[in-house]
Amino acid sequence: MAVDAVDSVSRTHDPVVSTPYGAVRGRYEDGVAVFRGIPYAAPPFGARRFRPPVPPEPWDGVRDAGEFGPTPPKPPYSEAYARLLADPVVPGDDCLNLNVWTPEPGPGARLPVMVWIHGGALTRGSSAVPVYDGHAFARDGVVLVSINYRLGVEGYGLFPDAPPNAGLRDQLAALEWVRESIARFGGDPDRVTVFGESAGAISIGALLASPRAQGLFRRAVLQSGPPEASERDKVRRMVRRMATRLKVPATARAFAAVDRALLLRTQADVARLSSPVLGGPAFGIVVDGDLVPRDPMEALLEGGAGGAPDVELLLGWTSEEYRLWLAPGGLLERVDRLGPVALAGAMARCRCGHEVPRGYRAIHPRAGTADLVGQMVTDHLLRVPLHRLADARPPRTPAYVYEFAWPSNVPGLGACHALELGFVFDTVQVPQAAQLAGPGAPQELADAMHAAWVRFAVEGDPGWQAWDASHPVRIFGAGAPHTVLGPRDRELALWDAESGRPGAPLSSPESTPSPRPRRPRRVVAVRPSSWPPLPPRAGGGRAQP
C-alpha cells in the first residue's frame, strides 16, 4: 500500500515519498534527497521481451531506493573506449528504472525539473554513470531525473512480430511517470526540460516530433545529436546479420529464446565496424507510423503541430566531435595515411560532390586528411541539421546554440564528443570524468556551463543571444564564455550549395526530409583560416561579449 506522508522537514531520517505504485525511501546526501532505482515500468523480459513497456506491479510497504537499479543489457566497450568512458553494470531484470535528486522532497516545492536521457549509440550507457550524478542540479534548485531504457537489439531491433522502437517507448513511459509523479518529489510537471547527448539527443528529437509526447516537456536540450530516423533496412541488416550468426530466424520470438549473454556478444561482433564516421548497419530509431509517425527532422523543419512549436530549444556540439570516434582506435593516423581514398569515402558517406572537400581544403589548408574528413562528416551529420532546426524555430519560441571548445588533456582527443558532459553536470572532479578530460579540467568552465543549463531550465534563456540571422553561437572554451557570430558559416555554406543539387540530402543519410525554403544565409567567402576552427574568431565569426 502506498504511503502518503513524506518526511520533507526533518533531515535526520531518510526521505520517503509515495509514487503511483508504492512508497520509496531515499537518502539525504550533502543536503540533497536522492532516490535511485525507482521502477517506472515492469521488467521487459519473459512475455514482455521486445514488447512496449507496461506499468510496474504495485508494492506494499516502503521500497528501498538507496542504490542504482539494474542496468539494461549491453555489451562492454572495447578496451580502447573503456579507458575513456565509464559504463557500470548493475545486474538484474528490473532495468526500466529512474533516479531522482531533489532539494525539497514534497508536493509544495514546484521546482523546475530536468530529465536526462543518456547517450551511447543506443547500445551502451546508463543512468548509473558517475558523471551523470544529479547533485549539482539539485543543489542549484532543480529536480534532476535520470532514466534507463532498453538498448541495442532489445530496444531497437526491427522484427516482423514486435513493435519497433521499444527503447524510445521506454523513454516515453518514463516521461509519463515524471508527469504523474514528480510533484511528490518537489518538481513542477509543467516545467520539465528534457536533455540528452548523442543518442539521447537523437531520442529527444524523435520525442519532439511525436504527437504522443506533446505536453510532457516544455524545453529541450540536444547535445551533439540531431533529430533523425534510421533507414529501416539498415536496422534490419543488423538483425539479419545477428540471426545468421545465431542460426535462428530474424524474429523477436526466436531472439527471445537466445541466451542473453550470447545475444550481447553477437550484437557486439556484428556492430564492430559501425561508427558515425564509417557508417554501416546500426541500431536506430525508425519511422513506425505510431510513436514516430514520420521522419523527425522533416516534421520539425516543416513546423506546425508536429514541429513542437512551443518547446524552447538549446542546441550544440563540440568543436572536434569526431576525435572520440577516430582517436581511440588509431583511425586518425590510418585516415591520414589513406589520404585521397579517405576523402572519397567521406564523400560517399556524406553523399556530396568534389566541391565540398575542395571547399574545406580551401578554408583549412593546413589540416590533415583525418581532420578534414572528421569535420566534413560532423558538419553533415550534426551541425547542418542543428543549424536548420534552429532556423526553423518560430520567433515566439527561441533557440539557443552553443559550441564546446575546450580540448581534453588526454592527448589526441581535443574537444571531442561527450567531453562536455562533466561540465554540464558539474562533475569534472569525479575520477570517471577525468578518464575523458584528463587531469586539471577547469572548474570555472564547469561552473559557467552548468549555470547556463540551470538557467535555461528555470527561465528558458541560458544567458546569451537567441538564434537569428546573425547565427550567434556561445563558445565554451579557454577563457570566459563568449558569443561568436557565424563561426561555422563558411563550412555550412558549402552544404547549402550542395543541397541545391538534385537529390542531395538536407540532413543525415539516415533521414530524407523534403526540401523546404531556407532563410537566406549570409554570403560567406571561402578563404583560409587556422585549424582547428576555434578559438573564437575562426570560421569568419565575429566575437561578442
Side-chain angles (χ1 to χ4, degrees):
M1 179 175 296
V3 176
D4 293 326
V6 57
D7 181 8
S8 60
V9 179
S10 171
R11 305 218 169 189
T12 60
H13 304 288
D14 292 335
V16 175
V17 173
S18 63
T19 79
Y21 308 105
V24 290
R25 176 180 290 107
R27 305 287 188 275
Y28 278 111
E29 300 176 4
D30 298 323
V32 168
V34 186
F35 302 81
R36 297 182 175 93
I38 303 172
Y40 67 83
F45 300 106
R48 293 184 286 267
R49 192 92 174 269
F50 301 107
R51 311 304 300 180
V54 298
E57 289 292 329
W59 59 86
D60 293 327
V62 180
R63 181 183 180 121
D64 186 72
E67 304 293 336
F68 285 113
T71 52
K74 55 188 175 176
Y77 280 116
S78 67
E79 183 179 349
Y81 280 98
R83 290 196 294 265
L84 301 172
L85 302 171
D87 197 11
V89 173
V90 181
D93 286 353
D94 207 357
C95 61
L96 299 185
N97 58 69
L98 52 78
N99 318 296
V100 181
W101 285 260
T102 176
E104 296 186 46
R110 307 293 289 185
L111 297 169
V113 180
M114 297 187 74
V115 179
W116 170 247
I117 302 178
H118 68 80
L122 299 178
T123 56
R124 295 177 175 89
S126 77
S127 65
V129 173
V131 176
Y132 307 154
D133 185 277
H135 181 272
F137 282 104
R139 175 200 68 199
D140 295 332
V142 173
V143 177
L144 191 284
V145 180
S146 61
I147 69 172
N148 286 334
Y149 57 95
R150 277 173 284 182
L151 303 167
V153 71
E154 299 277 358
Y156 296 93
L158 192 54
F159 300 102
D161 55 340
N165 299 321
L168 189 67
R169 295 172 193 275
D170 295 341
Q171 296 171 19
L172 180 69
L175 288 170
E176 291 170 340
W177 183 97
V178 169
R179 180 73 184 176
E180 186 175 3
S181 307
I182 203 62
R184 307 177 195 191
F185 292 83
D188 184 345
D190 294 322
R191 287 199 293 164
V192 173
T193 299
V194 289
F195 70 128
E197 184 266 347
S198 192
I202 292 170
S203 300
I204 291 170
L207 293 168
L208 275 168
S210 174
R212 291 183 56 186
Q214 288 187 12
L216 294 178
F217 49 89
R218 180 173 173 181
R219 300 181 177 111
V221 185
L222 280 70
Q223 300 172 212
S224 301
E228 67 177 24
S230 293
E231 297 173 0
R232 294 177 71 91
D233 188 59
K234 186 174 181 179
V235 180
R236 281 197 193 97
R237 289 204 306 272
M238 285 289 287
V239 174
R240 288 170 181 164
R241 290 181 183 185
M242 291 182 65
T244 298
R245 294 193 178 212
L246 293 166
K247 298 181 172 57
V248 300
T251 64
R253 181 177 181 180
F255 272 50
V258 175
D259 174 77
R260 202 179 300 175
L262 175 59
L263 201 63
L264 289 177
R265 289 196 302 272
T266 306
Q267 176 184 302
D269 288 342
V270 168
R272 194 177 303 279
L273 296 180
S274 295
S275 82
V277 174
L278 299 175
F283 291 110
I285 296 165
V286 298
V287 174
D288 59 19
D290 173 24
L291 180 57
V292 187
R294 59 187 299 200
D295 181 272
M297 191 68 178
E298 178 182 292
L300 292 169
L301 290 183
E302 290 186 2
D310 298 322
V311 178
E312 297 154 336
L313 298 182
L314 174 58
L315 316 167
W317 48 76
T318 71
S319 297
E320 299 167 289
E321 300 271 2
Y322 62 94
R323 285 186 169 268
L324 184 64
W325 307 326
L326 296 181
L331 282 175
L332 281 171
E333 295 79 8
R334 287 156 63 186
V335 170
D336 274 334
R337 288 197 301 270
L338 287 170
V341 175
L343 277 176
M347 289 165 56
R349 174 76 172 119
C350 299
R351 301 181 184 179
C352 68
H354 291 279
E355 295 83 358
V356 172
R358 286 172 185 161
Y360 274 79
R361 176 64 71 191
I363 296 170
H364 306 294
R366 294 191 298 276
T369 300
D371 285 321
L372 283 181
V373 166
Q375 291 289 3
M376 275 180 55
V377 175
T378 299
D379 286 347
H380 177 67
L381 296 179
L382 179 59
R383 295 191 185 107
V384 169
L386 290 180
H387 263 247
R388 293 179 180 172
L389 178 58
D391 280 344
R393 301 309 292 165
R396 71 177 186 277
T397 313
Y400 300 87
V401 178
Y402 75 90
E403 179 164 327
F404 182 82
W406 181 80
S408 170
N409 287 323
V410 176
L413 288 183
C416 69
H417 190 69
L419 182 58
E420 87 283 8
L421 294 174
F423 296 83
V424 168
F425 279 85
D426 192 10
T427 53
V428 292
Q429 305 307 326
V430 306
Q432 292 80 4
Q435 290 178 233
L436 196 62
Q443 181 60 48
E444 61 273 14
L445 182 58
D447 293 341
M449 200 166 192
H450 173 75
W453 264 238
V454 169
R455 178 170 167 171
F456 180 71
V458 174
E459 303 176 12
D461 176 355
W464 63 86
Q465 179 183 348
W467 187 258
D468 60 21
S470 67
H471 297 170
V473 177
R474 193 68 163 176
I475 307 297
F476 292 93
H482 54 280
T483 300
V484 176
L485 302 181
R488 299 281 177 178
D489 277 6
R490 287 180 296 156
E491 292 89 343
L492 297 175
L494 299 170
W495 297 104
D496 273 354
E498 183 71 15
S499 68
R501 297 171 55 203
L506 284 176
S507 57
S508 74
E510 288 74 35
S511 57
T512 54
S514 302
R516 68 176 183 91
R518 292 192 307 277
R519 298 180 185 178
R521 190 183 292 277
R522 293 180 290 126
V523 176
V524 184
V526 176
R527 60 186 185 277
S529 72
S530 60
W531 186 269
L534 293 168
R537 291 184 183 272
R542 304 186 302 282
Q544 288 191 329

